[in-house]
Amino acid sequence: MPDPANSNAEPETFDMRPDDEGWTVYNVRTDEPARVKGVRQTGLDMEKADDLVDLLNRLARRTGESFSL
């Protein structure tokens, strides 16, 4: 999560939101569900979704969002 005190911080690329069957991890810039090996990341339990958001945001920061899983 970006530090609100640091207004120069880049916004995160991925976040999570509730869906009908759990949680969806999505790209905040496109509003599309994230895909891992072609599978939409929807219906996840909260802990897995939160862990995936952290992982995808770390990868996006390191690679400039030019990665695929």
Side-chain angles (χ1 to χ4, degrees):
M1 203 49 103
D3 181 357
N6 183 358
S7 61
N8 294 329
E10 282 289 315
E12 297 290 6
T13 303
F14 296 93
D15 203 353
M16 57 191 261
R17 61 182 168 219
D19 62 34
D20 291 338
E21 297 168 12
W23 293 84
T24 293
V25 175
Y26 70 101
N27 184 314
V28 298
R29 294 181 179 124
T30 65
D31 202 40
E32 292 292 320
R35 292 181 180 264
V36 175
K37 294 187 178 185
V39 178
R40 293 164 44 108
Q41 299 303 296
T42 61
L44 304 172
D45 71 40
M46 183 184 276
E47 186 176 337
K48 287 183 182 180
D50 188 52
D51 289 345
L52 184 57
V53 165
D54 291 342
L55 173 65
L56 292 176
N57 281 322
R58 279 195 305 271
L59 288 170
R61 284 191 297 272
R62 287 184 186 161
T63 63
E65 216 178 321
S66 62
F67 67 91
S68 63
L69 298 174

